[in-house]
Amino acid sequence: MELGADWAGHISDEPPEKLRAIIDTTPAWQPILSSLENLKPGGRLVINAIRKESKDASLLANLDYAHHIWMEKEIKTVANVTGRDLREFLEVAAEIPLRPKVTIYPVKEANKALKALKAGNVQGAYVLKVNA
């Protein structure tokens, strides 16, 4: 893919193969069930969300041990990313040929960047540069 990923899709899409690890940063519960379905045996789902909303929490009643958790799948929650986490992540990330796309705007053009965000015309990250 253009930015170097092997696959990307909607949470309801099935990846071409089961995944070894998934990180969920959403406030919703549906991605948890979908992620568990798409993990390899022994895979890990890491939930890194400040909060989860209650509007779709009833979906957890659909959690089926044999389908979602069996085969030693692991669920881990993290409240904050630690320095150690960051170092380990950067070591792995350095081995992956991802090419992030960053668009830098001077702070005086913040409204232009915000309009693009609102219109959904952003690929990658927008950064506002504040001159020191």
Side-chain angles (χ1 to χ4, degrees), residues 30-77:
Q30 177 59 51
I32 301 302
L33 293 177
S34 297
S35 295
L36 289 169
E37 290 174 8
N38 290 313
L39 277 179
K40 286 182 177 183
R44 177 186 281 187
L45 169 62
V46 178
I47 302 171
N48 183 16
I50 294 171
R51 62 174 171 68
K52 287 287 190 184
E53 296 178 356
S54 59
K55 63 183 168 183
D56 69 342
S58 62
L59 293 172
L60 291 177
N62 298 327
L63 186 71
D64 176 67
Y65 177 82
H67 184 70
H68 293 102
I69 301 174
W70 189 59
M71 297 298 292
E72 300 181 7
K73 293 179 183 176
E74 179 182 352
I75 301 172
K76 179 177 177 93
T77 62

Side-chain angles (χ1 to χ4, degrees), residues 83-93:
R84 178 180 170 204
D85 295 331
L86 184 56
R87 281 189 301 278
E88 290 175 358
F89 175 77
L90 290 175
E91 288 173 10
V92 172

Side-chain angles (χ1 to χ4, degrees), residues 75-113:
I75 301 172
K76 179 177 177 93
T77 62
V78 292
N80 298 297
V81 176
T82 67
R84 178 180 170 204
D85 295 331
L86 184 56
R87 281 189 301 278
E88 290 175 358
F89 175 77
L90 290 175
E91 288 173 10
V92 172
E95 298 174 13
I96 302 171
L98 293 177
R99 295 173 302 282
K101 182 173 182 179
V102 178
T103 304
I104 299 173
Y105 282 91
V107 74
K108 66 183 179 187
E109 293 183 23
N111 284 336
K112 182 178 177 182

